[in-house]
Amino acid sequence: MSGGGSSANQVRLLLVEDVPQVAQYVRGLLNAQSIIKLLDVISDGTKAPAQILQLRPDVVIVDALLQGRMKGLGLVEQLAAAEPRVPVIVLTVPQQPVSADPERGIDGVLSMPFSGYDLVNRIQEVHKRAQERSHAGQARMITVFAPKGGVGTTTIAFNLAVATGQQGARTVLVDGSLQFGDLRALLKVPADAPSILDLPTDRITDADLSDVLWRDPSGIDILLAPPRIEMAEMVTTRDVDKVVSILRRAYEAIVVDTASYLTDVTLGFLDQADLILELVTFDVTTIHNTIAMAGTFRAIGYPPTKVQYLVNRADSSGGIAVEDLARSIGRIPEHTVVSDGQLVVRSNNEGVPFVLAAPDAAISQDVVRVAASLVGAGRAAVGAAR
Ligand SMILES: Nc1ncnc2c1ncn2[C@@H]1O[C@H](COP(=O)(O)OP(=O)(O)OP(=O)(O)O)[C@@H](O)[C@H]1O
Ligand SMILES: [Mg+2]
């Protein structure tokens, strides 16, 4: 959200330092790069908490030797108790060693003298750890997307959601394919079943949300798309953002099924995703669209790690080799799911997920493996510890 021409990946830094020479030294080191943006230097420690609330830095550096009414380590202690807690790096001298202790709000230490390399590295490291911490315990949102229709997005999203639910993650499936609401058809829900449109427009509460979720017999909760095509445009990206932020609090995994064309709403679901699971098939036009989409994602500024590729119907290659596909998209696809026409058509027609109907089928095991790799890693460890 930072303005002033800064990029989304920039780390926003605030420095609390009352020695002008040291402040100048840090400024000088940071001038040579653009990864870290120094928002301000504050010389009076008592003013730091208010400035942090206002400027919302990603990382704060506090000089342990800060003088005045608010001493350096006193400020660190105060910041450690604040909510939300901002990651703090303590700057000190060898004569007064300080050790990193995240429990006490010291996420990193820099001892004078340090190089620009040390400075930038330490800031990035502390920032990265803080981000991981804040994502832990939060819902993982996986947006399933394909830049081409009919390649299995809805089928995979539904079965993936059921599989993550089976693996113990509280899961909600969101029908982000708003015009045709693919999941309504698939699950044969009654036309009057509530949808995303039944949410209040201003303040959505958790209770409102549970009223509009469809509880599928497969065990997962589903937020349906509007019942009629022309209603799709009543849903805005603001609605998407609000819905997602509430779902993140109530669930451990959010799986979104999307339409294959880029609308504002589809982009909203892609933006919000922790991970985009992009479907590819061995088909020239799909591959062409996949390459084009990779260019678009790059232009938007998505890091490559935000996207993982899933080759659907990976065993029916139609003459295109996996290597050709990998060369075309410039990556080795992370996941493959085999095809099983009979089982998929039968279970889709019955509205049951094949991962439940035929758990031993190769296609089911493939999807279960994808689920485990996307949300299962942390949970498997928890399960094993029990
Ligand atoms: N792995 C698979 N093996 C066999 N058939 C599959 C597989 N995946 C999908 N299909 C079939 O492909 C067809 C399209 O599937 P689905 O509706 O999930 O695709 P979609 O990408 O969501 O389509 P749309 O663009 O209409 O939303 C369905 O008939 C489904 O049965
Ligand atoms: Mg679909």
Side-chain angles (χ1 to χ4, degrees), residues 150 152-155 177 182 257-259:
T153 309
T154 301
T155 304
S177 173
D182 292 352
D257 176 29
T258 57

PDB file of all heavy atoms in Angstrom, residues 150 152-155 177 182 257-259, ligand 2:
ATOM      1  N   GLY A 150     -12.791 -25.307 -19.574  1.00  0.00           N
ATOM      2  CA  GLY A 150     -13.014 -26.722 -19.817  1.00  0.00           C
ATOM      3  C   GLY A 150     -11.863 -27.662 -19.530  1.00  0.00           C
ATOM      4  O   GLY A 150     -11.922 -28.837 -19.887  1.00  0.00           O
ATOM      5  N   GLY A 152     -10.787 -28.513 -16.490  1.00  0.00           N
ATOM      6  CA  GLY A 152     -10.976 -29.259 -15.251  1.00  0.00           C
ATOM      7  C   GLY A 152     -10.851 -28.420 -13.983  1.00  0.00           C
ATOM      8  O   GLY A 152     -10.764 -28.970 -12.876  1.00  0.00           O
ATOM      9  N   THR A 153     -10.892 -27.105 -14.100  1.00  0.00           N
ATOM     10  CA  THR A 153     -10.720 -26.235 -12.930  1.00  0.00           C
ATOM     11  C   THR A 153     -11.724 -26.567 -11.825  1.00  0.00           C
ATOM     12  O   THR A 153     -11.348 -26.737 -10.658  1.00  0.00           O
ATOM     13  CB  THR A 153     -10.877 -24.753 -13.340  1.00  0.00           C
ATOM     14  OG1 THR A 153     -10.029 -24.509 -14.453  1.00  0.00           O
ATOM     15  CG2 THR A 153     -10.521 -23.824 -12.208  1.00  0.00           C
ATOM     16  N   THR A 154     -12.986 -26.658 -12.203  1.00  0.00           N
ATOM     17  CA  THR A 154     -14.015 -26.895 -11.191  1.00  0.00           C
ATOM     18  C   THR A 154     -13.859 -28.282 -10.570  1.00  0.00           C
ATOM     19  O   THR A 154     -13.934 -28.449  -9.343  1.00  0.00           O
ATOM     20  CB  THR A 154     -15.419 -26.736 -11.823  1.00  0.00           C
ATOM     21  OG1 THR A 154     -15.528 -25.406 -12.346  1.00  0.00           O
ATOM     22  CG2 THR A 154     -16.514 -26.978 -10.806  1.00  0.00           C
ATOM     23  N   THR A 155     -13.609 -29.262 -11.415  1.00  0.00           N
ATOM     24  CA  THR A 155     -13.419 -30.635 -10.937  1.00  0.00           C
ATOM     25  C   THR A 155     -12.269 -30.708  -9.937  1.00  0.00           C
ATOM     26  O   THR A 155     -12.393 -31.290  -8.851  1.00  0.00           O
ATOM     27  CB  THR A 155     -13.120 -31.567 -12.139  1.00  0.00           C
ATOM     28  OG1 THR A 155     -14.188 -31.450 -13.082  1.00  0.00           O
ATOM     29  CG2 THR A 155     -12.965 -32.998 -11.698  1.00  0.00           C
ATOM     30  N   SER A 177     -16.452 -18.634  -9.858  1.00  0.00           N
ATOM     31  CA  SER A 177     -16.876 -18.634 -11.251  1.00  0.00           C
ATOM     32  C   SER A 177     -18.286 -18.066 -11.252  1.00  0.00           C
ATOM     33  O   SER A 177     -19.278 -18.781 -11.302  1.00  0.00           O
ATOM     34  CB  SER A 177     -16.845 -20.080 -11.758  1.00  0.00           C
ATOM     35  OG  SER A 177     -17.396 -20.151 -13.043  1.00  0.00           O
ATOM     36  N   ASP A 182     -20.395 -22.768 -11.495  1.00  0.00           N
ATOM     37  CA  ASP A 182     -20.203 -24.174 -11.832  1.00  0.00           C
ATOM     38  C   ASP A 182     -20.552 -25.132 -10.694  1.00  0.00           C
ATOM     39  O   ASP A 182     -21.057 -26.224 -10.913  1.00  0.00           O
ATOM     40  CB  ASP A 182     -18.750 -24.418 -12.236  1.00  0.00           C
ATOM     41  CG  ASP A 182     -18.414 -23.735 -13.552  1.00  0.00           C
ATOM     42  OD1 ASP A 182     -19.349 -23.221 -14.193  1.00  0.00           O
ATOM     43  OD2 ASP A 182     -17.236 -23.717 -13.919  1.00  0.00           O
ATOM     44  N   ASP A 257     -12.677 -21.756  -6.792  1.00  0.00           N
ATOM     45  CA  ASP A 257     -12.850 -22.154  -8.193  1.00  0.00           C
ATOM     46  C   ASP A 257     -13.084 -20.870  -8.982  1.00  0.00           C
ATOM     47  O   ASP A 257     -13.839 -20.001  -8.548  1.00  0.00           O
ATOM     48  CB  ASP A 257     -14.072 -23.081  -8.305  1.00  0.00           C
ATOM     49  CG  ASP A 257     -14.383 -23.466  -9.749  1.00  0.00           C
ATOM     50  OD1 ASP A 257     -13.438 -23.521 -10.560  1.00  0.00           O
ATOM     51  OD2 ASP A 257     -15.566 -23.716 -10.055  1.00  0.00           O
ATOM     52  N   THR A 258     -12.414 -20.717 -10.113  1.00  0.00           N
ATOM     53  CA  THR A 258     -12.568 -19.464 -10.860  1.00  0.00           C
ATOM     54  C   THR A 258     -12.996 -19.729 -12.299  1.00  0.00           C
ATOM     55  O   THR A 258     -12.869 -20.830 -12.808  1.00  0.00           O
ATOM     56  CB  THR A 258     -11.238 -18.688 -10.929  1.00  0.00           C
ATOM     57  OG1 THR A 258     -10.253 -19.544 -11.519  1.00  0.00           O
ATOM     58  CG2 THR A 258     -10.777 -18.244  -9.573  1.00  0.00           C
ATOM     59  N   ALA A 259     -13.460 -18.659 -12.932  1.00  0.00           N
ATOM     60  CA  ALA A 259     -13.736 -18.720 -14.368  1.00  0.00           C
ATOM     61  C   ALA A 259     -12.401 -18.536 -15.101  1.00  0.00           C
ATOM     62  O   ALA A 259     -11.441 -18.039 -14.536  1.00  0.00           O
ATOM     63  CB  ALA A 259     -14.701 -17.606 -14.747  1.00  0.00           C
TER      64      ALA A 259
HETATM   65 MG    MG B   2     -15.486 -24.439 -14.114  1.00  0.00          MG
END
